[in-house]
PDB file of all heavy atoms in Angstrom:
ATOM      1  N   TYR A 164     -10.816  -8.701  -0.466  1.00  0.00           N
ATOM      2  CA  TYR A 164      -9.442  -8.880  -0.780  1.00  0.00           C
ATOM      3  C   TYR A 164      -8.973 -10.334  -1.062  1.00  0.00           C
ATOM      4  O   TYR A 164      -7.856 -10.700  -0.651  1.00  0.00           O
ATOM      5  CB  TYR A 164      -8.410  -8.281   0.210  1.00  0.00           C
ATOM      6  CG  TYR A 164      -8.689  -6.819   0.428  1.00  0.00           C
ATOM      7  CD1 TYR A 164      -8.995  -6.462   1.734  1.00  0.00           C
ATOM      8  CD2 TYR A 164      -8.639  -5.843  -0.522  1.00  0.00           C
ATOM      9  CE1 TYR A 164      -9.319  -5.111   2.062  1.00  0.00           C
ATOM     10  CE2 TYR A 164      -8.849  -4.504  -0.306  1.00  0.00           C
ATOM     11  CZ  TYR A 164      -9.233  -4.127   1.052  1.00  0.00           C
ATOM     12  OH  TYR A 164      -9.497  -2.815   1.252  1.00  0.00           O
ATOM     13  N   ARG A 165      -9.850 -11.151  -1.542  1.00  0.00           N
ATOM     14  CA  ARG A 165      -9.623 -12.574  -1.843  1.00  0.00           C
ATOM     15  C   ARG A 165      -8.347 -12.804  -2.495  1.00  0.00           C
ATOM     16  O   ARG A 165      -7.536 -13.695  -2.155  1.00  0.00           O
ATOM     17  CB  ARG A 165     -10.777 -13.210  -2.607  1.00  0.00           C
ATOM     18  CG  ARG A 165     -10.580 -14.690  -2.823  1.00  0.00           C
ATOM     19  CD  ARG A 165     -10.820 -15.436  -1.561  1.00  0.00           C
ATOM     20  NE  ARG A 165     -10.396 -16.806  -1.657  1.00  0.00           N
ATOM     21  CZ  ARG A 165     -10.699 -17.758  -0.634  1.00  0.00           C
ATOM     22  NH1 ARG A 165     -11.363 -17.436   0.410  1.00  0.00           N
ATOM     23  NH2 ARG A 165     -10.228 -18.928  -0.780  1.00  0.00           N
ATOM     24  N   HIS A 166      -7.939 -11.938  -3.419  1.00  0.00           N
ATOM     25  CA  HIS A 166      -6.611 -12.202  -4.273  1.00  0.00           C
ATOM     26  C   HIS A 166      -5.438 -11.900  -3.426  1.00  0.00           C
ATOM     27  O   HIS A 166      -4.342 -12.390  -3.654  1.00  0.00           O
ATOM     28  CB  HIS A 166      -6.722 -11.089  -5.514  1.00  0.00           C
ATOM     29  CG  HIS A 166      -6.997  -9.778  -5.049  1.00  0.00           C
ATOM     30  ND1 HIS A 166      -8.203  -9.348  -4.607  1.00  0.00           N
ATOM     31  CD2 HIS A 166      -6.235  -8.582  -5.025  1.00  0.00           C
ATOM     32  CE1 HIS A 166      -8.218  -8.080  -4.405  1.00  0.00           C
ATOM     33  NE2 HIS A 166      -6.961  -7.633  -4.698  1.00  0.00           N
ATOM     34  N   LEU A 167      -5.510 -11.193  -2.270  1.00  0.00           N
ATOM     35  CA  LEU A 167      -4.454 -10.846  -1.424  1.00  0.00           C
ATOM     36  C   LEU A 167      -4.026 -12.133  -0.661  1.00  0.00           C
ATOM     37  O   LEU A 167      -2.897 -12.448  -0.415  1.00  0.00           O
ATOM     38  CB  LEU A 167      -4.739  -9.750  -0.432  1.00  0.00           C
ATOM     39  CG  LEU A 167      -4.838  -8.397  -0.913  1.00  0.00           C
ATOM     40  CD1 LEU A 167      -4.909  -7.369   0.292  1.00  0.00           C
ATOM     41  CD2 LEU A 167      -3.780  -8.031  -1.843  1.00  0.00           C
ATOM     42  N   GLU A 168      -4.934 -13.065  -0.375  1.00  0.00           N
ATOM     43  CA  GLU A 168      -4.742 -14.155   0.488  1.00  0.00           C
ATOM     44  C   GLU A 168      -3.790 -15.132  -0.197  1.00  0.00           C
ATOM     45  O   GLU A 168      -2.929 -15.906   0.423  1.00  0.00           O
ATOM     46  CB  GLU A 168      -6.080 -14.951   0.919  1.00  0.00           C
ATOM     47  CG  GLU A 168      -5.798 -15.916   2.034  1.00  0.00           C
ATOM     48  CD  GLU A 168      -7.059 -16.546   2.347  1.00  0.00           C
ATOM     49  OE1 GLU A 168      -8.107 -16.658   1.572  1.00  0.00           O
ATOM     50  OE2 GLU A 168      -7.204 -16.861   3.660  1.00  0.00           O
ATOM     51  N   GLN A 169      -3.736 -15.106  -1.546  1.00  0.00           N
ATOM     52  CA  GLN A 169      -2.827 -15.888  -2.254  1.00  0.00           C
ATOM     53  C   GLN A 169      -1.389 -15.381  -2.498  1.00  0.00           C
ATOM     54  O   GLN A 169      -0.592 -16.142  -2.815  1.00  0.00           O
ATOM     55  CB  GLN A 169      -3.423 -16.363  -3.654  1.00  0.00           C
ATOM     56  CG  GLN A 169      -4.910 -16.614  -3.750  1.00  0.00           C
ATOM     57  CD  GLN A 169      -5.310 -17.746  -2.886  1.00  0.00           C
ATOM     58  OE1 GLN A 169      -4.622 -18.677  -2.792  1.00  0.00           O
ATOM     59  NE2 GLN A 169      -6.389 -17.601  -2.144  1.00  0.00           N
ATOM     60  N   ARG A 170      -1.323 -14.161  -2.131  1.00  0.00           N
ATOM     61  CA  ARG A 170       0.033 -13.453  -2.397  1.00  0.00           C
ATOM     62  C   ARG A 170       0.801 -13.273  -1.113  1.00  0.00           C
ATOM     63  O   ARG A 170       2.044 -13.043  -1.250  1.00  0.00           O
ATOM     64  CB  ARG A 170      -0.308 -12.047  -3.154  1.00  0.00           C
ATOM     65  CG  ARG A 170      -1.144 -11.999  -4.337  1.00  0.00           C
ATOM     66  CD  ARG A 170      -0.291 -12.349  -5.539  1.00  0.00           C
ATOM     67  NE  ARG A 170       0.841 -11.446  -5.782  1.00  0.00           N
ATOM     68  CZ  ARG A 170       0.690 -10.293  -6.472  1.00  0.00           C
ATOM     69  NH1 ARG A 170      -0.402 -10.103  -7.045  1.00  0.00           N
ATOM     70  NH2 ARG A 170       1.731  -9.550  -6.650  1.00  0.00           N
ATOM     71  N   PHE A 171       0.251 -13.376  -0.015  1.00  0.00           N
ATOM     72  CA  PHE A 171       0.939 -13.096   1.269  1.00  0.00           C
ATOM     73  C   PHE A 171       1.002 -14.294   2.251  1.00  0.00           C
ATOM     74  O   PHE A 171      -0.028 -15.055   2.267  1.00  0.00           O
ATOM     75  CB  PHE A 171       0.380 -11.846   1.982  1.00  0.00           C
ATOM     76  CG  PHE A 171       0.464 -10.579   1.325  1.00  0.00           C
ATOM     77  CD1 PHE A 171      -0.407 -10.147   0.395  1.00  0.00           C
ATOM     78  CD2 PHE A 171       1.620  -9.770   1.502  1.00  0.00           C
ATOM     79  CE1 PHE A 171      -0.279  -8.934  -0.385  1.00  0.00           C
ATOM     80  CE2 PHE A 171       1.775  -8.578   0.857  1.00  0.00           C
ATOM     81  CZ  PHE A 171       0.902  -8.087   0.003  1.00  0.00           C
ATOM     82  N   PRO A 172       2.066 -14.489   2.875  1.00  0.00           N
ATOM     83  CA  PRO A 172       2.096 -15.642   3.884  1.00  0.00           C
ATOM     84  C   PRO A 172       1.018 -15.438   4.938  1.00  0.00           C
ATOM     85  O   PRO A 172       0.598 -14.315   5.320  1.00  0.00           O
ATOM     86  CB  PRO A 172       3.465 -15.408   4.450  1.00  0.00           C
ATOM     87  CG  PRO A 172       4.333 -14.624   3.623  1.00  0.00           C
ATOM     88  CD  PRO A 172       3.257 -13.688   2.876  1.00  0.00           C
ATOM     89  N   GLN A 173       0.715 -16.563   5.518  1.00  0.00           N
ATOM     90  CA  GLN A 173      -0.373 -16.617   6.556  1.00  0.00           C
ATOM     91  C   GLN A 173      -0.054 -15.671   7.664  1.00  0.00           C
ATOM     92  O   GLN A 173      -0.983 -15.023   8.196  1.00  0.00           O
ATOM     93  CB  GLN A 173      -0.581 -18.097   7.052  1.00  0.00           C
ATOM     94  CG  GLN A 173      -1.672 -18.245   8.046  1.00  0.00           C
ATOM     95  CD  GLN A 173      -2.071 -19.569   8.207  1.00  0.00           C
ATOM     96  OE1 GLN A 173      -2.480 -20.330   7.351  1.00  0.00           O
ATOM     97  NE2 GLN A 173      -2.140 -20.048   9.525  1.00  0.00           N
ATOM     98  N   TYR A 174       1.213 -15.711   8.206  1.00  0.00           N
ATOM     99  CA  TYR A 174       1.466 -14.868   9.337  1.00  0.00           C
ATOM    100  C   TYR A 174       1.247 -13.326   9.052  1.00  0.00           C
ATOM    101  O   TYR A 174       0.883 -12.612   9.932  1.00  0.00           O
ATOM    102  CB  TYR A 174       2.858 -15.073   9.861  1.00  0.00           C
ATOM    103  CG  TYR A 174       4.102 -14.489   9.135  1.00  0.00           C
ATOM    104  CD1 TYR A 174       4.387 -13.235   9.511  1.00  0.00           C
ATOM    105  CD2 TYR A 174       4.616 -15.076   8.006  1.00  0.00           C
ATOM    106  CE1 TYR A 174       5.469 -12.625   8.741  1.00  0.00           C
ATOM    107  CE2 TYR A 174       5.623 -14.530   7.352  1.00  0.00           C
ATOM    108  CZ  TYR A 174       6.140 -13.262   7.698  1.00  0.00           C
ATOM    109  OH  TYR A 174       7.176 -12.692   6.980  1.00  0.00           O
ATOM    110  N   MET A 175       1.445 -12.940   7.808  1.00  0.00           N
ATOM    111  CA  MET A 175       1.086 -11.514   7.423  1.00  0.00           C
ATOM    112  C   MET A 175      -0.360 -11.207   7.453  1.00  0.00           C
ATOM    113  O   MET A 175      -0.834 -10.196   7.877  1.00  0.00           O
ATOM    114  CB  MET A 175       1.827 -11.215   6.117  1.00  0.00           C
ATOM    115  CG  MET A 175       3.223 -11.169   6.153  1.00  0.00           C
ATOM    116  SD  MET A 175       3.898 -10.502   4.491  1.00  0.00           S
ATOM    117  CE  MET A 175       5.680 -10.884   4.609  1.00  0.00           C
ATOM    118  N   ILE A 176      -1.070 -12.181   6.846  1.00  0.00           N
ATOM    119  CA  ILE A 176      -2.475 -12.007   6.759  1.00  0.00           C
ATOM    120  C   ILE A 176      -3.028 -11.939   8.381  1.00  0.00           C
ATOM    121  O   ILE A 176      -3.892 -11.094   8.727  1.00  0.00           O
ATOM    122  CB  ILE A 176      -3.226 -13.081   6.128  1.00  0.00           C
ATOM    123  CG1 ILE A 176      -2.797 -13.185   4.649  1.00  0.00           C
ATOM    124  CG2 ILE A 176      -4.669 -12.984   6.212  1.00  0.00           C
ATOM    125  CD1 ILE A 176      -3.196 -12.065   3.766  1.00  0.00           C
ATOM    126  N   ALA A 177      -2.546 -12.861   9.214  1.00  0.00           N
ATOM    127  CA  ALA A 177      -2.943 -12.844  10.465  1.00  0.00           C
ATOM    128  C   ALA A 177      -2.599 -11.630  11.108  1.00  0.00           C
ATOM    129  O   ALA A 177      -3.445 -10.953  12.040  1.00  0.00           O
ATOM    130  CB  ALA A 177      -2.338 -13.998  11.201  1.00  0.00           C
TER     131      ALA A 177
END
Side-chain angles (χ1 to χ4, degrees):
Y164 303 120
R165 181 74 196 185
H166 50 294
L167 291 187
E168 195 176 27
Q169 314 307 317
R170 301 281 296 272
F171 291 90
Q173 180 167 307
Y174 79 91
M175 290 185 192
I176 301 290

